[in-house]
Amino acid sequence: MGSVSIRNVHKSYGALPILHGVSVDIADGEFVILVGPSGCGKSTLLRMLAGLEAITGGEVLIDGQVVNTKPPKERDIAMVFQSYALYPHMTVEANMGFSLKLSRAPKAEIKSRVAVAAKSLGLEPYLQRYPKHLSGGQRQRVAMGRAIVRDPAVFLFDEPLSNLDAKLRVQMRSEIKQNHQRLRTTTVYVTHDQIEAMTMADRIVVMNAGRIEQIGTPLELYDRPANMFVAGFIGSPAMNFLAGNLQQSEFSASDGSKIALPDVGNINVDKITLGVRPEHFRIDLKGLPAEVITIEPTGAETQVMMRFCGHDVVGVFRERIDVAAGQTIRVSLDREKLHLFDTKTGKRIGG
Ligand SMILES: Nc1ncnc2c1ncn2[C@@H]1O[C@H](COP(=O)(O)OP(=O)(O)OP(=O)(O)O)[C@@H](O)[C@H]1O
Ligand SMILES: [Mg+2]
């Protein structure tokens, strides 16, 4: 069992505050991903869960017990880092079994647990090799194997795939997910790759400058971002933002174009920002003009950079579009899919 509660956790290095009161409740078996820009405090938070970093304020509970002052080895967690930190002078088998050896597990048990983990990770052919004779992906698997053999209550991953090339990353992503489906070990996983977050997480915690911006399932964050930070961070290509004003319950863009708004009830601010996902533009002869800046067909879809309502925006279209840069197309917006934000606070308006 491995629920994790993070309650109003603060962290300062000397006088410098880094985390400003972070709270998350993670259920046993859940796969939670922390995302956010570089320097926002993801690794710091993870290291506090691991016991590698002192907690300045607040509480961390694992399985209902406060662990603030417990040393790492008493927390029943296993951590996998970005740099795999394998022991170079030990074989794969010895690397994977090392923590069990330290805890004085019987030799036969170590061997069998390593064998099971090696099988699940496809590492059986490599057990007698040394790390320097492995590829990056294989090393990453050994680092995971080392965590798996311990059968911990909680796995912590800090950007474990960031040293791998794109193809291997996709493959390892699916392996980690399959492993989680099989083992159901509570997992807290840090990445700044939002695709990784969207595809792997049960829930995503979006952090920014030492605070939590929003917690939710991937699609909750995508469909109903609480503010412009989350809206711009989740989704690729990113959401487009059009600044404007509210005029007679219509959106009036900075160039004077008018756009009908979704029904979000009373809006009591006048400076509003419209959020449009790239896939929510539609080619429409009755729509508003958009001057094409660049056009990038990928085969499956067409990505168009265009000047729309006085802003440079990106649209993604399923159909093929036969126009050249400099030409004007007409597009409309899927009204019910628009997002509205208070320009001043960045907060979402309406449901
Ligand atoms: N030992 C330390 N002493 C002082 N400041 C630190 C220390 N460790 C981290 N920091 C600062 O704390 C902030 C958060 O760092 P952290 O490593 O948690 O960021 P991160 O979100 O993991 O970023 P990245 O995506 O780049 O890994 C940064 O501004 C960093 O400079
Ligand atoms: Mg980090």
Coordinates of all heavy atoms in Angstrom, one line a residue, residues 13 16 18 36-45 53 82 158-159 190 192, ligand 1:
Y13 N 15.7 27.3 0.4 CA 17.1 27.1 0.5 C 17.7 28.3 1.1 O 17.7 29.4 0.5 CB 17.8 26.8 -0.9 CG 17.5 25.5 -1.4 CD1 16.6 25.3 -2.5 CD2 18.0 24.3 -0.9 CE1 16.3 24.1 -3.1 CE2 17.7 23.1 -1.4 CZ 16.9 22.9 -2.5 OH 16.6 21.7 -3.0
L16 N 15.9 31.7 0.6 CA 15.2 31.7 -0.7 C 14.1 30.7 -0.7 O 14.3 29.5 -0.7 CB 16.3 31.4 -1.7 CG 15.8 31.5 -3.2 CD1 15.6 33.0 -3.5 CD2 16.8 30.9 -4.1
I18 N 11.4 28.3 -2.3 CA 11.4 27.6 -3.6 C 10.0 27.0 -3.8 O 9.4 27.1 -4.9 CB 12.4 26.4 -3.7 CG1 13.8 27.0 -3.5 CG2 12.3 25.6 -4.9 CD1 14.3 27.7 -4.7
G36 N 5.9 21.1 -15.3 CA 6.0 22.5 -15.1 C 7.3 22.9 -15.7 O 8.2 22.1 -16.0
P37 N 7.5 24.2 -15.9 CA 8.8 24.7 -16.6 C 10.0 24.4 -15.7 O 9.9 24.2 -14.5 CB 8.5 26.2 -16.7 CG 7.3 26.5 -16.1 CD 6.6 25.3 -15.6
S38 N 11.1 24.5 -16.3 CA 12.4 24.3 -15.6 C 12.5 25.2 -14.4 O 12.2 26.4 -14.5 CB 13.5 24.5 -16.6 OG 14.7 24.2 -16.0
G39 N 12.9 24.7 -13.3 CA 13.1 25.5 -12.1 C 11.9 25.7 -11.3 O 11.9 26.4 -10.3
C40 N 10.7 25.1 -11.6 CA 9.5 25.3 -10.9 C 9.5 24.6 -9.6 O 8.6 24.8 -8.7 CB 8.3 25.1 -11.7 SG 8.0 23.3 -12.0
G41 N 10.4 23.6 -9.4 CA 10.4 22.9 -8.1 C 10.0 21.4 -8.1 O 9.8 20.8 -7.1
K42 N 9.9 20.8 -9.3 CA 9.5 19.4 -9.5 C 10.4 18.5 -8.8 O 10.0 17.7 -8.0 CB 9.4 19.1 -10.9 CG 8.5 20.0 -11.8 CD 8.4 19.6 -13.2 CE 9.7 19.7 -14.0 NZ 10.2 21.1 -14.2
S43 N 11.7 18.6 -9.1 CA 12.7 17.7 -8.5 C 12.8 17.9 -7.0 O 12.9 16.9 -6.3 CB 14.1 17.9 -9.2 OG 14.0 17.6 -10.5
T44 N 12.7 19.2 -6.6 CA 12.8 19.4 -5.2 C 11.7 18.7 -4.5 O 11.9 18.1 -3.4 CB 12.7 21.0 -5.0 OG1 13.7 21.6 -5.7 CG2 12.8 21.3 -3.5
L45 N 10.5 18.8 -5.0 CA 9.3 18.1 -4.3 C 9.5 16.6 -4.3 O 9.3 16.0 -3.3 CB 8.0 18.5 -5.1 CG 6.8 17.9 -4.5 CD1 6.6 18.4 -3.1 CD2 5.5 18.4 -5.3
E53 N 15.9 15.4 0.7 CA 15.9 16.9 0.9 C 15.0 17.2 2.1 O 13.9 16.6 2.3 CB 15.2 17.5 -0.3 CG 15.5 18.9 -0.7 CD 17.0 19.0 -1.1 OE1 17.4 18.6 -2.3 OE2 17.7 19.6 -0.3
Q82 N 17.1 10.8 -13.8 CA 17.5 11.0 -15.2 C 18.8 10.4 -15.6 O 19.0 9.8 -16.6 CB 17.5 12.6 -15.4 CG 18.0 13.0 -16.7 CD 17.9 14.5 -16.8 OE1 17.4 15.2 -15.9 NE2 18.4 15.1 -17.9
D158 N 12.3 10.8 -11.8 CA 12.6 12.1 -12.1 C 13.2 12.2 -13.6 O 14.3 11.9 -13.8 CB 13.7 12.7 -11.2 CG 13.7 14.3 -11.3 OD1 13.1 14.8 -12.2 OD2 14.4 14.9 -10.5
E159 N 12.3 12.6 -14.5 CA 12.7 12.7 -15.9 C 13.5 11.5 -16.4 O 14.6 11.6 -17.0 CB 13.5 14.0 -16.2 CG 12.8 15.2 -15.6 CD 12.9 16.4 -16.5 OE1 13.0 16.2 -17.7 OE2 12.7 17.5 -16.0
V190 N 8.1 12.8 -12.6 CA 8.4 14.2 -13.0 C 8.8 14.2 -14.5 O 9.6 13.4 -14.9 CB 9.5 14.8 -12.2 CG1 10.0 16.1 -12.8 CG2 9.0 15.0 -10.8
H192 N 9.1 17.4 -17.9 CA 8.6 18.6 -18.5 C 8.1 18.4 -19.9 O 7.8 19.4 -20.6 CB 9.5 19.8 -18.3 CG 10.9 19.7 -18.9 ND1 12.0 19.7 -18.1 CD2 11.3 19.5 -20.2 CE1 13.1 19.5 -18.9 NE2 12.6 19.4 -20.2
Ligands
LIG1 N1 20.6 22.8 -3.3 C1 20.0 23.9 -3.8 N2 20.4 25.1 -3.3 C2 19.8 26.3 -3.7 N3 18.8 26.3 -4.7 C3 18.4 25.1 -5.2 C4 19.0 23.9 -4.8 N4 18.4 22.9 -5.5 C5 17.5 23.5 -6.3 N5 17.5 24.9 -6.2 C6 16.7 25.8 -6.8 O1 15.3 25.5 -6.6 C7 14.5 25.7 -7.8 C8 13.8 24.5 -8.2 O2 14.7 23.5 -8.6 P1 14.2 22.1 -9.1 O3 15.5 21.3 -9.4 O4 13.3 21.5 -8.2 O5 13.5 22.5 -10.5 P2 12.8 21.5 -11.5 O6 11.4 21.9 -11.6 O7 13.1 20.1 -11.2 O8 13.5 22.0 -12.9 P3 14.1 21.1 -14.1 O9 12.9 20.9 -15.0 O10 15.0 22.0 -14.8 O11 14.7 19.8 -13.6 C9 15.5 26.2 -8.8 O12 15.4 27.6 -8.9 C10 16.8 25.8 -8.3 O13 17.8 26.7 -8.8

